[in-house]
Amino acid sequence: MTIGVRRRMGVEERRQQLIGVALDLFSRRSPDEVSIDEIASAAGISRPLVYHYFPGKLSLYEAALQRASDDLAARFVEPRQGPLGARLLRVMGRYFDFVDEHGPGFSALMRGGPAVGSSTTNALVDSVRQAAYVQILSHLGVTDPPARLELVVRSWISLAESTALIWLDGRRIPRAELEVQLVHDFAALMAVSAAYDEEMGALLRRVIEAEPADGHFGDLVGRLVGLAG
Amino acid sequence: MTIGVRRRMGVEERRQQLIGVALDLFSRRSPDEVSIDEIASAAGISRPLVYHYFPGKLSLYEAALQRASDDLAARFVEPRQGPLGARLLRVMGRYFDFVDEHGPGFSALMRGGPAVGSSTTNALVDSVRQAAYVQILSHLGVTDPPARLELVVRSWISLAESTALIWLDGRRIPRAELEVQLVHDFAALMAVSAAYDEEMGALLRRVIEAEPADGHFGDLVGRLVGLAG
């Protein structure tokens, strides 16, 4: 019988609980609209007790963002088996799950501003981009990427961010369509680079050869040929 | 004979001179590394006199950014004649000129952070994106864009930003190559969207029909077909 009995939490447990409560609030509204009072109330503790664990709202925001960043980075991890297109599509599905769960907070963070733009928050955003970059390179089987491949992968990651932000602003296109589109965009950006560079051409051929004819990349190529014809 | 004679400037003239000096310094280094003392020294006036015209570094930074934003937005203006690919390429040339001239300041601004992330600076960055978006829609001859076209154009603008930022970080790929690549990326993102949407397909066909066979889009299609073969 624990109903009505408030168990006393340990320091680390209380910190983790506060981070969870704060992350939930920071996800659902722009962080500058969330007050310490509200976090205290949602956690069922007093405002001074929040300050006992975190010196201020920024440090609590940074701790919440650290947890969200770890979560998002983990969503780019995907077993190295099966066609690349199908792997990327599963990653995009988990990426949009995250964006969906943290919509307003994700928008506020990525659009920048005084409430969210500390050097710590910028470093956390960069760490997620770097984790995504490393994962995608490993799926391509590349350890020492040429500059043109680095550009394609990093700029595609930013394309996924901007696509997600535009989606959040009104959700006028079904997210499932955008997940597939981003997989196709990856192939398209690779192909544009490969059209003018031998090394990228060889890499693209290796990727395409491992794809099934009825996979995501094959379907796109078929449709594009139809469009050109 | 004006040598050695310091002419007294009017208020607005002095403000404009200070903005020009500040923009030059804010462009060449990260804004948080530029001090009011340095701006005063470069302008040949005293520190208190700088404060007479601008209440603080942020207001001077915002005024400099306003000038840079107006400049950048104007570079997207292009006569509505000739093939779209060639028009976009001229715009990209002027865009990379700007990025080249303002490299460190552009990077610091676009990567965000406390020195640059005020609501005014964010609004200025958004105003440039919006100006670019409006210009490109007008070149496509579209006044009421469907959601999928808006997504393609806006996400391509963010792709141009991230490509420029990656270029600034080491300049490992010739900028002329990236200017052409971004024109091709535009066509590729349009094509991916068009492959799954009738309305986008009709728009893409209209654009392609107006292109010469030896234009930028035609050359890309030829090479992609070669790559697929």
Side-chain angles (χ1 to χ4, degrees):
Chain A
M1 287 288 288
T2 57
I3 295 163
V5 176
R6 184 165 293 169
R7 192 170 56 79
R8 201 186 162 94
M9 289 189 187
V11 171
E12 192 48 35
E13 192 184 359
R14 173 63 83 188
R15 269 182 61 91
Q16 294 303 324
Q17 182 232 9
L18 268 173
I19 292 170
V21 167
L23 177 57
D24 185 49
L25 289 168
F26 287 137
S27 297
R28 285 194 265 141
R29 293 210 311 285
S30 178
D32 52 6
E33 293 169 7
V34 177
S35 68
I36 287 281
D37 281 330
E38 200 175 352
I39 295 167
S41 164
I45 64 177
S46 70
R47 179 187 166 93
L49 195 53
V50 175
Y51 283 112
H52 177 71
Y53 292 99
F54 294 93
K57 195 172 109 174
L58 180 61
S59 73
L60 187 45
Y61 178 69
E62 288 173 351
L65 189 61
Q66 175 76 62
R67 184 184 286 182
S69 302
D70 293 345
D71 171 12
L72 181 53
R75 298 185 191 214
F76 281 88
V77 178
E78 168 71 26
R80 269 158 210 71
Q81 55 199 39
L84 183 67
R87 293 186 224 172
L88 275 183
L89 185 58
R90 285 191 293 271
V91 169
M92 285 298 96
R94 293 194 295 267
Y95 180 69
F96 270 83
D97 284 344
F98 178 93
V99 170
D100 197 8
E101 289 159 25
H102 302 279
F106 180 81
S107 283
L109 174 65
M110 304 309 287
R111 293 186 192 282
V116 295
S118 76
S119 56
T120 304
T121 59
N122 286 334
L124 285 170
V125 170
D126 280 343
S127 75
V128 173
R129 289 177 180 147
Q130 182 62 20
Y133 173 67
V134 167
Q135 281 300 318
I136 289 162
L137 280 190
S138 94
H139 282 281
L140 292 169
V142 173
T143 48
D144 188 19
R148 286 171 182 78
L149 179 60
E150 179 173 346
L151 176 74
V152 165
V153 177
R154 290 197 191 275
S155 61
W156 177 76
I157 290 166
S158 91
L159 189 72
E161 283 173 17
S162 55
T163 298
L165 285 170
I166 294 166
W167 174 69
L168 281 174
D169 186 14
R171 305 193 181 207
R172 289 180 295 152
I173 304 174
R175 56 169 270 196
E177 180 180 330
L178 297 181
E179 293 164 16
V180 175
Q181 181 172 302
L182 280 164
V183 173
H184 289 154
D185 286 342
F186 182 80
L189 296 181
M190 287 281 287
V192 165
S193 187
Y196 294 85
D197 184 78
E198 268 301 316
E199 195 173 15
M200 289 295 289
L203 179 63
L204 182 63
R205 270 190 296 274
R206 190 160 60 71
V207 166
I208 296 288
E209 277 162 18
E211 288 289 304
D214 62 348
H216 296 288
F217 293 156
D219 186 61
L220 174 66
V221 171
R223 282 169 182 262
L224 288 177
V225 169
L227 202 69
Chain B
M1 286 288 291
T2 56
I3 295 162
V5 176
R6 185 164 293 168
R7 192 170 57 79
R8 201 186 162 95
M9 289 188 185
V11 170
E12 192 48 34
E13 194 183 359
R14 173 64 83 190
R15 269 183 61 91
Q16 293 304 323
Q17 181 230 10
L18 269 173
I19 291 170
V21 166
L23 176 57
D24 185 49
L25 289 168
F26 287 138
S27 295
R28 285 195 265 141
R29 295 209 311 287
S30 177
D32 52 7
E33 293 169 7
V34 177
S35 69
I36 288 280
D37 281 331
E38 201 174 351
I39 294 167
S41 165
I45 62 176
S46 69
R47 179 188 165 93
L49 196 51
V50 175
Y51 282 113
H52 176 70
Y53 292 99
F54 294 93
K57 195 172 110 174
L58 180 61
S59 73
L60 189 44
Y61 178 70
E62 288 173 352
L65 190 61
Q66 174 75 62
R67 184 184 289 184
S69 302
D70 292 344
D71 172 12
L72 181 52
R75 297 186 191 214
F76 281 88
V77 178
E78 168 72 23
R80 270 159 209 70
Q81 54 199 40
L84 182 67
R87 293 185 223 172
L88 275 183
L89 185 59
R90 285 191 293 271
V91 169
M92 286 297 97
R94 292 194 296 266
Y95 180 70
F96 271 83
D97 285 343
F98 178 93
V99 170
D100 197 8
E101 289 158 25
H102 302 279
F106 180 81
S107 285
L109 174 65
M110 303 311 288
R111 292 184 192 286
V116 293
S118 75
S119 56
T120 304
T121 60
N122 286 334
L124 285 170
V125 171
D126 280 343
S127 74
V128 173
R129 289 176 181 148
Q130 182 62 20
Y133 173 68
V134 168
Q135 281 299 318
I136 290 162
L137 280 191
S138 94
H139 282 281
L140 292 170
V142 174
T143 47
D144 187 21
R148 285 170 185 79
L149 179 60
E150 178 172 349
L151 176 75
V152 165
V153 176
R154 290 197 190 275
S155 62
W156 176 77
I157 291 166
S158 92
L159 189 72
E161 283 173 17
S162 56
T163 298
L165 285 169
I166 294 166
W167 174 69
L168 282 173
D169 186 15
R171 306 192 178 206
R172 290 181 293 153
I173 305 175
R175 56 169 269 196
E177 180 181 330
L178 297 181
E179 292 163 16
V180 175
Q181 182 173 300
L182 279 163
V183 173
H184 290 154
D185 286 343
F186 181 80
L189 296 180
M190 287 280 288
V192 165
S193 187
Y196 293 86
D197 183 79
E198 267 303 315
E199 195 173 17
M200 289 295 289
L203 179 63
L204 182 63
R205 269 190 297 273
R206 190 159 60 72
V207 167
I208 296 288
E209 276 162 18
E211 289 288 304
D214 61 348
H216 296 287
F217 293 156
D219 187 62
L220 174 67
V221 171
R223 283 170 182 262
L224 288 177
V225 169
L227 201 71

